[in-house]
């Protein structure tokens, strides 16, 4: 029968004939088990993504802090040049330059985070 192309029927018949309680057919999972397994995999995947996002955010924060520290060190190394920049910004008499002057003065004063009022 296999040679005649009826192999699918032969396979089914053989499996039915030799079916025992220990056969793989008994170890099949239910729909609920499959859904639970999928939900668990999704949960683990979401947790991994969350950890990756947190690590990326931590790296960004560390880089920003390092850059800020480097910027403040540069300002501290040349206070006269920074004061000249402040005076030049004020002399321009434009809002954007005034804002830059205020930021520079804040940075010179305490080195606190930008935007702190």
């Amino acid at each position: 029968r296999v040679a005649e192309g009826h192999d699918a029927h032969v396979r089914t018949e053989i499996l039915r004939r030799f079916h025992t309680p220990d056969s793989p057919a008994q170890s099949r999972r239910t729909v609920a088990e499959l859904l639970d397994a999928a939900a668990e995999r999704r949960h683990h995947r979401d947790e991994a993504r969350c950890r990756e996002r947190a690590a990326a955010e931590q790296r960004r924060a560390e880089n920003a802090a390092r850059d800020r520290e480097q910027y403040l060190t540069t300002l501290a190394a040349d206070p006269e040049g920074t004061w000249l920049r402040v005076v030049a910004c004020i002399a321009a008499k434009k809002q954007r330059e005034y804002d830059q002057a205020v930021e520079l003065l804040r940075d010179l004063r305490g080195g606190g985070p930008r935007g702190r009022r």
Side-chain angles (χ1 to χ4, degrees):
R1 285 193 294 171
V2 171
E4 293 173 354
H6 302 286
D7 54 330
H9 298 290
V10 174
R11 181 180 184 281
T12 304
E13 183 180 323
I14 291 172
L15 287 174
R16 194 178 316 123
R17 185 181 300 174
F18 294 103
H19 179 70
T20 63
D22 296 334
S23 70
Q26 293 296 321
S27 66
R28 291 185 179 168
R29 294 184 286 176
T30 65
V31 171
E33 290 170 333
L34 291 171
L35 290 174
D36 288 344
E40 186 174 340
R41 282 193 304 277
R42 189 170 32 257
H43 175 71
H44 289 301
R45 196 170 46 246
D46 291 346
E47 282 182 339
R49 285 184 188 139
C50 187
R51 284 190 302 272
E52 289 171 6
R53 278 193 298 268
E57 181 60 34
Q58 178 69 26
R59 284 190 302 275
R60 278 191 294 275
E62 289 170 358
N63 288 340
R66 186 188 65 242
D67 292 347
R68 178 78 176 151
E69 187 62 34
Q70 203 171 27
Y71 166 74
L72 293 175
T73 301
T74 302
L75 287 182
D78 184 22
E80 293 162 2
T82 304
W83 278 106
L84 290 174
R85 285 176 48 204
V86 168
V87 171
C89 286
I90 293 171
K93 297 186 180 192
K94 294 182 181 175
Q95 183 62 44
R96 182 172 175 223
E97 280 76 10
Y98 282 137
D99 292 342
Q100 287 176 343
V102 169
E103 288 298 320
L104 282 168
L105 290 170
R106 279 192 188 125
D107 294 340
L108 283 171
R109 185 186 81 204
R114 287 180 178 237
R116 195 168 112 192
R117 307 229 185 260

